[in-house]
Amino acid sequence: MKPLLHASAIVLISFLSHQAAAAVFFAAHQDDVTLFMGQNAYRDIRGGHATVIVIVSAGDAGNAELPNARGITGNFDHNQQGKPYYRVRHDAHNAALGYWVSAWAPPPPLKTAERFSAEIPAVEKVLIGNVTVYNLNLADGKLSQFLPGGPYSSFQDITGRNTYTAASLKETLRQIITRNNAGRKTVLVNLPEHDPGFSEMGYNEQLMPDENGNLLKRARMDLVHTDHPDHTAVGKFVIAAINEQPATRCVYRAVYMGYAIQNLPQVMTPFEKYNQEIAVFHRMNGVLIHQGNVIRQYASSWPLAGNDDGFHRSFLGKQKWRDGGGGGTCAF
């Protein structure tokens, strides 16, 4: 078994190092792919490969009841122009991806919708060059409540257009994989860490000095900075969707660390880091500013646009993934 797993890891490392011919990235929020999966996503997109990105939550930050600066109650997150915050974040994400497609001539996003079933008739779909984006628009901050054992058995997206159960959500995720990769034999699925209990030296464990500063002890970096529950929930839904049906078990799985990467050294080349910074902190925040999403820093009179802060910048240039298993010849 160990030689087989070793061979699988070698194939996956080679697959990621030379860009994927076909890759699907699953994430909870609009900036998760660019921040946590940025090196591999950038290489796939800028390399011209067919790349699918699925954003499961609306990214509305659970702020549906907060009044904005204009005193309008609603899902605005202090937007100065009264626009829904999640719509501004989608536009910002599109701008970042367009820059990765082409730094000099970003293609305009072509917005459409796709039907998956009677209950899920209108999933938002955006085409940006070689990138296809699906926005499922489920409530931000609540995805874990729809996992097995959670309080909800069905849920609408925040637009009211699509009604999901856990089963239909997983089926939608499977259909996104299969519809966009028909005829391709090798497919890589990228997902957030789905197993908070997973522990492996060199992935989320490292040797740290003990309390006396001399002997080394094993430490879990991901327990120092625990991940967002939406990240974990998306990972759980994706891995369950893949494993439930034989047809999708053929995909390779790359599982990505979330918030804990702020503890890690940078792995991107200077050119890759530059293009990540431009996409996330120039293109994304440029749209947020232009569309009115400017807030104030705590205890400061200086404006802060979107996520241009120390916490989000701590992820710049970093990425950490592990081989999540799977791998074979697909026949979609």
Side-chain angles (χ1 to χ4, degrees), residues 13-96:
I13 291 171
S14 176
F15 200 55
L16 287 173
S17 299
H18 295 86
Q19 298 94 39
V24 185
F25 291 83
F26 290 96
H29 311 105
Q30 291 91 337
D31 55 3
D32 288 352
V33 170
T34 51
L35 286 174
F36 304 116
M37 308 174 182
Q39 185 179 47
N40 290 335
Y42 172 78
R43 290 178 177 182
D44 288 341
I45 293 170
R46 186 58 64 87
H49 303 290
T51 306
V52 177
I53 295 176
V54 184
I55 307 300
V56 178
S57 92
D60 53 305
N63 290 329
E65 302 304 322
L66 292 178
N68 70 351
R70 295 175 58 191
I72 304 173
T73 300
N75 196 359
F76 301 108
D77 190 48
H78 306 283
N79 183 275
Q80 307 299 301
Q81 300 175 19
K83 294 181 179 180
Y85 177 47
Y86 82 100
R87 294 253 58 98
V88 179
R89 290 194 74 183
H90 284 329
D91 289 344
H93 185 221
N94 294 341

Side-chain angles (χ1 to χ4, degrees), residues 104-162:
W104 305 112
L110 175 61
K111 300 178 181 181
T112 180
E114 187 167 335
R115 185 183 190 277
F116 289 92
S117 67
E119 294 75 24
I120 308 164
V123 173
E124 289 186 13
K125 183 177 180 180
V126 184
L127 305 177
I128 311 171
N130 57 301
V131 181
T132 301
V133 183
Y134 290 91
N135 297 315
L136 272 57
N137 289 325
L138 302 181
D140 189 5
K142 299 181 179 180
L143 298 182
S144 61
Q145 299 179 37
F146 305 114
L147 291 166
Y152 299 111
S153 59
S154 66
F155 44 105
Q156 280 190 327
D157 68 14
I158 68 170
T159 72
R161 296 171 185 162
N162 305 295

Side-chain angles (χ1 to χ4, degrees), residues 263-274:
N263 302 307
L264 303 179
Q266 296 180 16
V267 297
M268 294 186 188
T269 68
F271 184 74
E272 289 171 337
K273 180 183 175 183
Y274 168 81

